[in-house]
């Protein structure tokens, strides 16, 4: 890939797990009542046909990894588990009251933080409590994020018995000096143990998260990590670009300086090399930053063009409504977004007053809904079209002028009323989506809001 393209397109840009992106939400016209109404509408329209997704944020971790950009709270006090689970179940009861009839659960994901910080008994209480007043959709998918250092056989069997078939483990990189730099020492044996155990118990999809662009990481480190990964052949691989966002409150991104990070060109090279190795091992690239074996549901969803993307990242099944429970979780009704308060104290306090603990959100207008569809098409299928009148919007001509520039750089092709991202263009998908992001173009951020696209 040419240096000039890297130079030209390495700008701060969103990862588009939503449109509008969180910093561009219109907070003034948002209200909790508006959010509730939009969720009720989505529930009426889609519960019987698609069901809904549940995301549960479990924020605790025993120690801080200094690369981590997730919302977490570090503690070794396990007494925090029980009150947190009670609070999540209380939040769910407020939603059940709002929805009125039994929700049909299509997807359920435990994210964090570290879900396996919680004891298997507490996770059992949580999931059983959530499902008590719900039905399961056909082909439901339950998944969780496990830390290879603390996922036990009891965690895996308990969750398996509750219907979980997919687990993803945080691996990052196997080089010991990098692991020390990011305060996450985690030998290969731990990942192997957790992966083998999951398979033995019957999990059908085991994923590994690997990161490129970490402090001190070289191309050789990436190759060595992939070689070890291939020895275990996870069904899915999230190959994340390290997001350096030290300005986000509560982040632990310290202990190394920006000078310790690989340059944009070497970071890009790490990605290209990683991709070649994964493809040679039989993995197929799915959307942005993901790879899967052809037997995995994520690959099948891509092949059938049913891949979906929301705050959980890429998912194999689409539901219009996603309810996020727990601190900092974001919910999505397609017509609106709502985010929960981030501090545990504020979360408990609002729930004690029987209030859904949302503190901000956005209700989408007609333009937002059209742009959202284009960005989703691009992120999931690497193409979008405006043959369909419903996908035409006022500023489309200006967007097409911007897209011409990408065409000249060989990053996309026009085909009547359609654009298709080329193989080279896939690396710049965030930049291509930015051409559709009217809100970003209307108000350029004054400070850096997003990680760099390379
Ligand atoms: C919540 S963690 C995974 C579960 C568990 N806490 C663990 O660490 O194993 C989710 C994943 O997000 C990714 N991640 C966290 N911070 C990141 C960053 N700054 N840039 C890119 N990926 C990041 C990591 O790959 C991590 O495994
Ligand atoms: S990477 Fe996982 S374990 Fe480490 S701080 Fe982040 S959420 Fe916690």
């Amino acid at each position: 890939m040419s240096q000039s393209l890297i130079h030209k397109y390495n700008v701060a840009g969103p990862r588009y797990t939503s449109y509008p992106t969180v910093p561009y939400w219109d907070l003034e016209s948002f209200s909790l009542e508006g959010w509730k109404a939009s969720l009720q509408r989505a529930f009426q329209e889609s519960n019987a046909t698609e069901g809904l997704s549940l995301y549960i944020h479990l924020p605790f971790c025993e120690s801080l990894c200094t690369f981590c950009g997730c919302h977490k709270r570090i503690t070794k006090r396990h007494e925090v588990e029980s009150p947190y689970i009670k609070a999540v179940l209380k939040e769910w009861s407020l939603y059940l009251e709002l929805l009125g009839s039994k929700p049909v659960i299509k997807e359920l994901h435990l994210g964090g933080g570290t879900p396996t910080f919680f004891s298997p008994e507490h996770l059992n209480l949580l999931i059983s409590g959530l499902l008590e007043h719900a039905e399961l959709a056909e082909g439901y998918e339950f998944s969780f994020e496990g830390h290879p250092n603390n996922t036990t056989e009891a965690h895996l069997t308990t969750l398996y018995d509750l219907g979980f078939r997919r687990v993803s483990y945080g691996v990052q990189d196997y080089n010991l000096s990098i692991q020390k730099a990011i305060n996450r020492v985690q030998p290969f044996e731990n990942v192997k143990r957790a992966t083998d155990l999951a398979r033995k118990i019957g999990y059908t999809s085991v994923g590994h998260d690997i990161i490129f662009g970490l402090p001190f990481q070289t191309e050789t480190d990436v190759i060595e990590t992939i070689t070890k990964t291939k020895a275990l052949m996870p069904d899915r691989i999230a190959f994340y670009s390290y997001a350096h966002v030290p300005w986000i409150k509560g982040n632990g991104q310290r202990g190394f300086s920006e000078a310790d990070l690989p340059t944009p060109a070497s970071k890009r090279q790490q990605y290209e090399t990683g991709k070649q190795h994964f493809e040679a091992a039989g993995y197929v690239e799915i959307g942005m930053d993901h790879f899967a074996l052809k037997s995995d549901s994520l690959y099948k969803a891509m092949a059938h063009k049913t891949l979906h993307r929301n705050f959980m990242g890429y998912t194999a099944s689409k539901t219009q409504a996603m309810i996020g429970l727990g601190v900092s979780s974001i919910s999505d009704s397609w017509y609106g977004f709502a985010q929960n308060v981030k501090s545990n104290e504020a979360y408990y306090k609002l729930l004690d007053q029987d209030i859904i603990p949302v503190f901000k959100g956005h209700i989408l207008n007609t333009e937002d809904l059209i742009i959202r569809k284009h960005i989703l098409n691009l992120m999931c299928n690497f193409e979008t079209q405006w043959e369909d009148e419903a996908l035409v919007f006022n500023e489309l001509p200006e967007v097409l002028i911007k897209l011409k520039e990408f065409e000249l750089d060989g990053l996309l092709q026009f085909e009547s009323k359609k654009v298709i991202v080329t193989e080279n263009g896939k690396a710049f998908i965030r930049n291509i989506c930015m051409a559709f992001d009217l809100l970003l173009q209307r108000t350029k951020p004054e400070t850096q809001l997003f990680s760099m696209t390379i």
Side-chain angles (χ1 to χ4, degrees):
M1 185 168 298
S2 87
Q3 287 286 343
S4 61
L5 282 185
I6 293 177
H7 186 71
K8 179 169 172 186
Y9 290 116
N10 189 24
V11 294
R15 299 174 55 80
Y16 292 110
T17 47
S18 74
Y19 182 84
T21 57
V22 180
Y24 285 91
W25 287 358
D26 177 1
L27 306 185
E28 261 159 42
S29 40
F30 176 81
S31 68
L32 183 57
E33 290 316 307
W35 157 246
K36 286 184 187 170
S38 88
L39 184 66
Q40 280 170 321
R41 177 179 170 194
F43 186 74
Q44 301 289 332
E45 287 174 1
S46 63
N47 185 49
T49 46
E50 294 178 340
L52 54 87
S53 301
L54 273 187
Y55 170 79
I56 300 109
H57 194 76
L58 300 172
F60 305 109
C61 305
E62 284 209 352
S63 68
L64 176 71
C65 311
T66 56
F67 72 94
C68 179
C70 305
H71 180 81
K72 68 264 168 198
R73 187 173 265 209
I74 310 300
T75 181
K76 288 203 164 52
R77 292 176 52 243
H78 284 262
E79 307 88 273
V80 295
E81 292 183 28
S82 180
Y84 192 82
I85 281 178
K86 283 194 188 122
V88 171
L89 291 175
K90 171 75 184 279
E91 188 186 2
W92 181 228
S93 74
L94 298 178
Y95 274 111
L96 288 174
E97 208 176 298
L98 175 74
L99 299 175
S101 55
K102 264 195 176 181
V104 179
I105 311 293
K106 176 76 183 188
E107 278 205 28
L108 186 154
H109 183 75
L110 304 181
T114 305
T116 47
F117 173 96
F118 286 78
S119 69
E121 295 72 29
H122 279 141
L123 292 176
N124 189 3
L125 276 177
L126 171 69
I127 306 301
S128 315
L130 291 173
L131 298 183
E132 199 182 332
H133 302 289
E135 279 172 28
L136 292 178
E138 211 186 302
Y140 67 89
E141 279 202 42
F142 289 2
S143 54
F144 73 100
E145 291 164 19
H147 194 312
N149 284 357
N150 67 13
T151 303
T152 62
E153 184 159 3
H155 280 121
L156 286 160
T157 43
T158 303
L159 291 173
Y160 184 88
D161 292 343
L162 289 162
F164 285 69
R165 294 294 178 268
R166 193 153 65 72
V167 53
S168 60
Y169 292 120
V171 172
Q172 330 313 347
D173 189 288
Y174 284 114
N175 180 313
L176 185 60
S177 8
I178 297 174
Q179 291 193 353
K180 283 184 178 157
I182 60 174
N183 194 37
R184 188 191 171 96
V185 174
Q186 177 184 281
F188 173 74
E189 290 64 41
N190 293 12
V191 182
K192 177 170 165 45
R193 181 196 59 85
T195 301
D196 290 348
L197 259 177
R199 291 218 163 109
K200 192 184 90 191
I201 291 165
Y203 283 78
T204 47
S205 175
V206 179
H208 286 186
D209 300 342
I210 295 172
I211 304 191
F212 62 95
L214 283 168
F216 310 108
Q217 200 180 23
T218 64
E219 197 182 344
T220 313
D221 297 319
V222 172
I223 295 172
E224 281 174 9
T225 292
I226 294 176
T227 306
K228 289 202 165 87
T229 304
K230 283 193 295 195
L232 302 177
M233 287 302 276
D235 304 84
R236 282 185 195 183
I237 292 165
F239 191 39
Y240 291 125
S241 163
Y242 168 62
H244 191 59
V245 283
W247 60 85
I248 292 182
K249 208 171 145 239
N251 246 342
Q253 294 183 329
R254 51 184 121 91
F256 52 86
S257 77
E258 252 154 67
D260 302 323
L261 298 174
T263 61
S266 34
K267 191 175 179 190
R268 197 65 233 158
Q269 190 53 48
Q270 291 177 3
Y271 179 77
E272 294 300 329
T273 305
K275 177 177 154 142
Q276 280 164 18
H277 280 73
F278 288 133
E279 287 178 346
Y283 290 93
V284 184
E285 188 171 25
I286 313 284
M288 186 181 79
D289 297 350
H290 281 70
F291 292 84
L293 292 177
K294 287 194 172 170
S295 48
D296 193 87
S297 61
L298 208 57
Y299 169 79
K300 291 178 189 158
M302 183 191 74
H304 297 132
K305 293 205 172 176
T306 55
L307 195 65
H308 188 60
R309 184 169 171 83
N310 57 27
F311 287 99
M312 296 190 278
Y314 286 104
T315 64
S317 48
K318 174 191 161 281
T319 67
Q320 182 179 334
M322 182 180 90
I323 298 182
L325 303 175
V327 285
S328 81
S329 285
I330 298 178
S331 302
D332 176 359
S333 63
W334 184 259
Y335 306 113
F337 299 115
Q339 181 168 27
N340 278 353
V341 290
K342 295 184 181 176
S343 90
N344 293 21
E345 294 69 21
Y347 181 67
Y348 295 142
K349 200 168 161 198
L350 287 167
L351 288 169
D352 276 345
Q353 297 164 32
D354 295 335
I355 299 172
I356 291 180
V358 155
F359 82 112
K360 68 172 179 180
H362 177 91
I363 302 298
L364 285 85
N365 62 27
T366 312
E367 179 196 276
D368 295 338
L369 288 165
I370 299 175
I371 302 292
R372 182 175 189 187
K373 190 85 186 87
H374 284 292
I375 289 185
L376 197 61
N377 287 346
L378 285 164
M379 292 299 291
C380 294
N381 304 322
F382 289 116
E383 60 179 51
T384 192
Q385 51 83 17
W386 50 96
E387 268 150 16
D388 181 353
E389 281 293 315
L391 290 180
V392 176
F393 52 100
N394 282 346
E395 288 168 60
L396 180 63
E398 287 83 349
V399 171
L400 295 183
I401 292 168
K402 289 202 169 68
L403 292 179
K404 280 273 169 212
E405 176 93 20
F406 291 99
E407 186 190 30
L408 289 172
D409 286 329
L411 306 180
L412 57 76
Q413 284 169 346
F414 280 87
E415 218 176 72
S416 102
K417 292 182 173 181
K418 189 172 181 180
V419 280
I420 304 168
V421 179
T422 62
E423 214 35 54
N424 278 346
K426 288 183 178 175
F428 299 101
I429 190 68
R430 288 162 75 180
N431 305 80
I432 296 171
C433 289
M434 283 163 80
F436 281 90
D437 189 337
L438 299 180
L439 294 174
L440 180 73
Q441 288 157 36
R442 285 180 198 138
T443 322
K444 294 261 184 282
E446 284 167 12
T447 54
Q448 190 175 346
L449 299 175
F450 305 107
S451 59
M452 302 301 278
T453 54
I454 306 277

